[in-house]
């Protein structure tokens, strides 16, 4: 059974209509028959339907009460779906899952509401200071193209920013494909992209994650300035330049020129040398 629903702007509702994109999303998640999938914002259930047929269990969190009613009817026979009505950002998932017969999800697959992309990413991955410990094998999401570009950016390019470092410290990030506005109803104003994040501990760990987070925040505060100027409030210039030299980093670099590993090395060296002002 299918149903239609008038998209609500306040919940960032854009129904995915393209079968091709749905296939790409599902393919990117490499679903196995013992997977338990977390879906954020099932909407009218087009993606949910595909997930249910290929995974063992699906836990779907939908904020829209009316949609939840329709979803319950649509998937009435599906034993492997747990539909939870509520706000994903504040929901205590562990509590809801305990005693439900549903496992902790090992993958996330979702066409998420774009207006809360940042907070969703933070909930799924954690932060530099508090990485999400019970994390996922894989997270496949539809996001805005410009966010996808920033998440997956290489250092030395303009799109590489604070968000890139924060997310790449916690996960490998890849763009699977770009998605045009016409793949949705109603079409969003911007292009979208399917991305895949694979959470993992970064090969080089920050000795002081708080310091790394602070450095990244200050370093990217003014992208037009050289890094040494952005960091002048935290470390004296001569000492910073000495650290740059030890790490083989040029004096005049900008924040986006340092790789994630170099950001970690810089924070670790700073700590080791005890140069903080
Ligand atoms: N996955 C569907 C719908 C995507 S639109 C599709 O591909 O067609 C985004 C969905 O997220 C909507 O159903 C919206 O109601 C839901 N949503 C918005 N904010 C939410 C929140 N805070 N928690 C859970 N779901 C939310």
């Amino acid at each position: 059974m299918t149903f239609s629903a008038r998209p609500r702007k306040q919940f960032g509702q854009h129904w995915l209509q393209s079968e091709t994109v749905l296939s790409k999303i599902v393919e990117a998640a490499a679903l196995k028959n013992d997977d338990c999938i977390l879906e954020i914002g099932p909407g009218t259930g087009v993606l949910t339907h595909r997930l249910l047929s290929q995974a063992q269990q699906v836990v779907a969190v939908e904020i829209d009460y009316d949609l939840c009613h329709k979803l319950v009817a649509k998937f009435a026979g599906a034993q492997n779906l747990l539909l939870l009505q509520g706000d994903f950002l504040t929901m205590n998932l562990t509590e809801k899952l305990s005693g439900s017969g549903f496992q902790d999800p090992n993958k996330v697959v979702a066409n998420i509401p774009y207006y809360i992309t940042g907070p969703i990413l933070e909930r799924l991955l954690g932060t530099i200071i508090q990485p999400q410990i019970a994390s996922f094998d894989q997270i496949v999401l539809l996001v805005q193209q410009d966010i996808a570009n920033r998440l997956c950016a290489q250092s030395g390019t303009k799109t590489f920013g604070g968000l890139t470092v924060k997310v790449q410290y916690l996960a490998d990030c890849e763009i699977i494909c770009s998605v045009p506005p016409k793949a949705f109803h109603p079409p969003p104003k911007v292009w979208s992209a399917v991305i895949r994040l694979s959470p993992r501990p970064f090969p080089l760990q920050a000795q002081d994650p708080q310091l790394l987070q602070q450095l990244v925040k200050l370093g990217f505060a003014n992208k037009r300035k050289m890094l040494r100027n952005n960091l002048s409030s935290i470390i004296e210039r001569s000492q910073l330049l000495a650290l740059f030299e030890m790490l083989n980093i040029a004096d005049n670099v900008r924040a986006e020129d340092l790789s994630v590993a170099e950001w970690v090395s810089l924070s670790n060296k700073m700590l080791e040398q005890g140069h903080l002002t």
Side-chain angles (χ1 to χ4, degrees), residues 140-160:
V140 177
L141 301 176
L142 240 174
V143 298
Q144 292 179 46
Q145 177 81 57
D146 78 305
I147 302 282
N149 293 345
R150 279 158 62 191
L151 295 177
C152 305
Q154 302 264 1
S155 57
T157 65
K158 262 199 253 158
T159 39
F160 190 93

Side-chain angles (χ1 to χ4, degrees), residues 28-45:
L31 297 179
K32 298 200 204 77
N33 55 15
D34 60 348
D35 279 337
C36 177
I37 310 295
L38 170 64
E39 185 187 5
I40 304 153
T44 61

Side-chain angles (χ1 to χ4, degrees), residues 36-42 57-63 81-109 120 123-125 132 134-136 139:
C36 177
I37 310 295
L38 170 64
E39 185 187 5
I40 304 153
Q57 296 181 323
V58 176
V59 176
V61 182
E62 173 56 61
I63 198 169
L81 172 65
L82 178 64
L83 180 64
L84 300 170
Q85 192 269 323
D87 181 349
F88 172 70
L89 296 179
T90 52
M91 180 174 283
N92 185 339
L93 204 56
T94 318
E95 203 173 79
K96 299 264 183 197
L97 290 177
S98 90
S100 68
F102 280 71
Q103 308 159 31
D104 282 336
N106 63 314
K107 287 179 184 167
V108 182
V109 184
I120 288 178
R123 258 212 134 197
L124 297 176
L125 296 170
Q132 173 78 274
S135 181
F136 306 98
I139 300 171

Side-chain angles (χ1 to χ4, degrees), residues 10-17 22 39-47 61-64 67 86-89 110-113 115-116 142 184:
Q10 85 262 32
F11 290 141
Q13 295 177 349
H14 295 273
W15 311 141
L16 189 56
Q17 291 187 306
L22 280 166
E39 185 187 5
I40 304 153
T44 61
V46 281
L47 180 57
V61 182
E62 173 56 61
I63 198 169
D64 187 324
L67 277 181
D87 181 349
F88 172 70
L89 296 179
N111 168 20
I112 58 171
Y115 72 106
I116 46 169
L142 240 174
F184 302 87

Side-chain angles (χ1 to χ4, degrees), residues 123-199:
R123 258 212 134 197
L124 297 176
L125 296 170
T127 60
I128 290 178
I129 296 173
Q130 242 181 341
Q132 173 78 274
I133 308 158
S135 181
F136 306 98
D137 303 337
Q138 224 128 62
I139 300 171
V140 177
L141 301 176
L142 240 174
V143 298
Q144 292 179 46
Q145 177 81 57
D146 78 305
I147 302 282
N149 293 345
R150 279 158 62 191
L151 295 177
C152 305
Q154 302 264 1
S155 57
T157 65
K158 262 199 253 158
T159 39
F160 190 93
L163 180 69
T164 319
V165 180
K166 283 187 243 169
V167 171
Q168 289 188 8
Y169 183 71
L170 302 166
D172 283 328
C173 306
E174 349 158 39
I175 293 184
I176 304 295
C177 64
S178 294
V179 177
K182 69 169 195 289
F184 302 87
H185 170 74
K189 291 199 180 77
V190 292
W191 275 65
S192 303
V194 178
I195 58 167
R196 179 167 53 206
L197 310 176
S198 310

